[in-house]
Amino acid sequence: MKWTNVYGLDQLGSFLRRVRKEKGYTQDEFAEIIGASHATLSALENGKSVSSQTLMRAVSDLGLKLVVLPKGAQAEVREGAAPAAAFSRSHEEGSRA
C-alpha cells in the first residue's frame, strides 16, 4: 500500500491528475467514467471546488482511498488497515491559545 500526503485541493487535484495519467485515461475518458463533464474534471484537477460526490467518485474509480485527518493529527499506518489517528492533548490545547 502506498500513502501520499495531500494538504489542499490543489495538491489533491495534481495527485489525481497524475494517477489518472498513470492509468492511461484521458480527461474525456475519465470524466465519462465518473459521470462528470470535461470541465468539472479539469476544475478538480486544477484545485477548484467541485461536489464532494464528484471528488469521491474520482478517488474511488482510480482505486484510491481518501483519509481525512484533522490538522495536527498523527497517523499510524498499518498494512491492510485504515490509519489510526492519535491526538496529542497538549498540541490540541496549544492550538487553541
Side-chain angles (χ1 to χ4, degrees):
M1 178 181 322
K2 182 180 177 186
W3 290 86
T4 189
N5 289 332
V6 173
Y7 299 102
L9 284 178
D10 56 335
Q11 289 178 325
L12 179 58
S14 296
F15 176 71
L16 293 175
R17 177 186 303 115
R18 187 177 79 232
V19 174
R20 172 185 58 79
K21 287 180 176 184
E22 287 172 1
K23 293 191 177 268
Y25 295 120
T26 66
Q27 267 193 331
D28 287 329
E29 290 169 335
F30 193 63
E32 186 174 330
I33 289 169
I34 65 171
S37 69
H38 176 96
T40 298
L41 179 58
S42 179
L44 172 61
E45 290 183 350
N46 286 298
K48 308 293 184 216
S49 183
V50 299
S51 74
S52 58
Q53 184 179 25
T54 299
L55 169 62
M56 294 310 295
R57 212 171 320 140
V59 167
S60 176
D61 288 354
L62 287 172
L64 304 169
K65 293 183 182 192
L66 180 65
V67 178
V68 179
L69 298 173
K71 206 173 198 176
Q74 296 176 355
E76 177 185 327
V77 179
R78 287 179 249 147
E79 191 67 31
F87 297 93
S88 164
R89 272 230 186 286
S90 61
H91 176 75
E92 194 174 325
E93 291 168 3
S95 65
R96 290 184 192 145

